[in-house]
Amino acid sequence: MSDALARPAAPGTTAPPRSNAVVAVLALAGIVVSLMQTLVIPIVPELPRLLDAPASDTAWAVTATLLAAAVATPVVGRLGDMAGKRRMLVASILMLISGSVVCALADSLVPMIAGRALQGLAAAVVPLGISILRDVVPAEKLAGSTAVMSASLGVGGALGLPAAAFIADNWDWHILFWTSAALGVASLLLVLVAVPESGTRTGGRFDLVGSLGLSAGLVALLLAVSKGADWGWTSGTTVGLAAAAVVILPAWGWWELRANQPLVDLRTTAKKQVLFTNLASIALGFSMFAMSLVLPQLLQLPERTGYGLGRSMLTVGLVLAPQGLVMMAMSAVSAGLTRAKGPKVTLMAGALIVAAGYALNIVLMSEVWHLVLVSCVIGAGVGFTYGAMPALIMGAVDPSQTGAANSLNTLMRSLGTSFASAVAGVILARMTTDFGGYALPSENGFKIVMALGAGAALVAFLLAGFVPKRGAAARHPVAEGAEEAAPVQT
C-alpha cells in the first residue's frame, strides 16, 4: 500500500483530532461551492429586467457556470496531483470569491457572465477535497469522511435554494453574491488554518495540448446539449458544435494515449472498476437532475391545472431542503455499508433507492408532503451513491492520480445532468396542455420524465453490477487500511 494513505490508529487510540477538523472544513468548502448551483435560480426570471438584456442572453449566466465547471474540473484535478491539492483548493476558492465579487458589483450582462464563469471555475473543490482526505485522514475513517464530503454537494444545493429565495425576496439581489463572497472568504481562512498540504505529488510537465483539446471538446458538446433546444436541434450551430465534439474528443483521446504525462490517464480510466463507476455516474447524474427539473415546476404551477400546487419559490426551497439533510445523515449509513460490504454494494443500493423514489413520485405528486417524502427518499439514495463512487475510484487508482480520477468522475456526473436537462426539456416542451392560452408542461410529461429518472437509476444499478467485486471490496482504501492495521494488532 502507498505511504500516501494515512496509517490507521492503533487499537485503543483515537484518530488525531486534526482529521476531524479537516473533514469539517473541507465539507464546509464543498457546501459553499455547491451553493453556486442554486444561487441564481430565484432571480433567473428577473435577470432580463435586472441586467437590461434579452432572456436568451441572460441564460448565459447559468450556462457560463456549467461550461467553466466542466473545463476546470479535470484540469484543476490534474494540477492538484502535480503541484499540490491544497494549493489548487485555495486557488479554486479564490476563483469563487473573485466571481462572487464581480457578480455583486455587476449591473449589466457581461460582468455577470464573467463572474458566473469565475464561480464555475471553483467546481473542483469537492473532488480535490476527497483526494485530500485520502492523503491525510486515517484509513479507518476514510469511508465516513468521503461520504460526508460527497454529501456536501447535495447539502449546499438543497439549503442554498430557500436561503437564496429568502434573500432575493427581502433584499437587493446583489446581496446574494456578497453573501457567497463572505462564505468563500470564511472557507478560505479555515482551509489555510486547518487543511495540510499533501506530500503526494507527481510533478512533471502539464499536458497543455490535452487540456486545450478536452476543454474544446467539452465546450462544444455541452453547448450543443444545453443550448440545442433554444437554437433548434437541427440548426447549423447545434449540428456544427455536435460534429466538432465528435471530431475533437476522439482526437483528444488519441493524443492522451500517446502523451508521456497525459492530462487524463485513459489506460487507468479503462480499468473495469473505474470505467463502470464512471458510466454509472453518468446515469446517476441524469437520474438525480430529473428531480431538480420536475419537483420545482410541480410546486410552482397553478393549482387550476389540476396537478400544480401553486407555491412560491421560497416554498420550493423549503420542500427540497430536507433532501440535503437526509443526504448528510445517510453519509454515516453509507460509510458503514461500505466498510461491511464494499462500495460496490453501497452504489447498487443507492441506485435502487433513487429508482424507488421516482417510482413513488409517479403515484404521489398531489400534495406538498408527497414531494417532501419523494425528495427525501431520492436524497437518501443519492447519499449512498455519492459516498460510494469516490471509494470505488480511489480503490482502483494510484494515490498520485487521485485528484485527476475523482475530478473526471465528477465531470461524468455533470455530463449526466446536462443530458437530463436536454432530454427533459424536449419532453416537457412537446407534452403540453393549454392553460389560458399558454402552453404548460402536462402531467403525463412530468410522469415520463420521472419514469426516465427511475430508468436511469436502474441503468446505474446494472452498470455498477459490472464493477469487479474483488477489486471493489479488497482494494478500496478502507479495506487497505484494515489490512495494514493487522500487524499493529498482533
Side-chain angles (χ1 to χ4, degrees), residues 286 290 294 355 358-359 362 445-458:
F286 186 104
V294 169
Y358 279 109
I362 293 175
F446 286 123
K447 289 184 176 181
I448 287 177
V449 173
M450 290 183 283
L452 287 175
L458 292 176

Side-chain angles (χ1 to χ4, degrees), residues 30-338:
I31 290 172
V32 171
V33 169
S34 63
L35 287 172
M36 297 309 104
Q37 305 303 316
T38 54
L39 186 68
V40 297
I41 289 178
I43 62 171
V44 164
E46 299 296 320
L47 283 178
R49 178 181 62 83
L50 296 174
L51 301 176
D52 191 23
S56 58
D57 290 341
T58 58
W60 285 97
V62 176
T63 306
T65 308
L66 168 70
L67 297 178
V71 169
T73 300
V75 172
V76 174
R78 176 57 179 155
L79 287 171
D81 287 334
M82 295 176 61
K85 302 178 184 73
R86 178 180 179 268
R87 181 176 297 175
M88 297 313 302
L89 180 69
V90 168
S92 295
I93 297 175
L94 286 173
M95 291 295 101
L96 170 67
I97 297 169
S98 301
S100 298
V101 171
V102 170
C103 290
L105 296 173
D107 284 309
S108 58
L109 182 63
V110 172
M112 172 62 78
I113 293 175
R116 289 290 291 164
L118 285 170
Q119 288 181 324
L121 294 178
V125 163
V126 172
L128 282 172
I130 292 171
S131 302
I132 290 172
L133 291 177
R134 183 183 192 181
D135 294 343
V136 304
V137 171
E140 75 277 6
K141 296 186 66 177
L142 186 56
S145 300
T146 299
V148 169
M149 185 68 200
S150 299
S152 68
L153 278 170
V155 174
L159 299 183
L161 186 56
F166 180 76
I167 291 172
D169 285 345
N170 292 278
W171 291 287
D172 181 79
W173 64 275
H174 294 91
I175 299 297
L176 288 170
F177 297 101
W178 286 122
T179 302
S180 67
L183 291 172
V185 170
S187 297
L188 177 62
L189 294 176
L190 289 171
V191 166
L192 293 173
V193 170
V195 179
E197 180 61 90
S198 166
T200 305
R201 302 184 190 179
T202 61
R205 178 178 297 177
F206 180 68
D207 181 13
L208 180 60
V209 174
S211 67
L212 293 175
L214 180 59
S215 299
L218 287 175
V219 168
L221 175 63
L222 290 173
L223 275 178
V225 170
S226 63
K227 304 294 287 185
D230 296 330
W231 294 335
W233 293 107
T234 58
S235 70
T237 303
T238 303
V239 173
L241 286 169
V246 169
V247 172
I248 293 173
L249 290 175
W252 169 79
W254 176 87
W255 171 269
E256 292 298 281
L257 288 172
R258 285 156 179 78
N260 291 329
Q261 295 177 313
L263 178 73
V264 177
D265 189 339
L266 294 181
R267 292 179 176 83
T268 298
T269 304
K271 288 182 179 179
K272 199 172 182 181
Q273 184 162 325
V274 178
L275 175 63
F276 281 101
T277 300
N278 283 334
L279 292 175
S281 297
I282 296 175
L284 283 168
F286 186 104
S287 179
M288 292 181 292
F289 196 68
M291 178 192 64
S292 301
L293 292 169
V294 169
L295 297 192
Q297 292 194 61
L298 285 175
L299 284 162
Q300 290 183 284
L301 284 174
E303 290 184 82
R304 285 177 295 166
T305 60
Y307 51 90
L309 299 177
R311 305 304 171 114
S312 67
M313 178 59 73
L314 179 58
T315 301
V316 172
L318 294 174
V319 168
L320 297 180
Q323 178 197 23
L325 301 178
V326 169
M327 286 181 62
M328 186 62 74
M330 285 297 104
S331 63
V333 182
S334 168
L337 183 59
T338 295

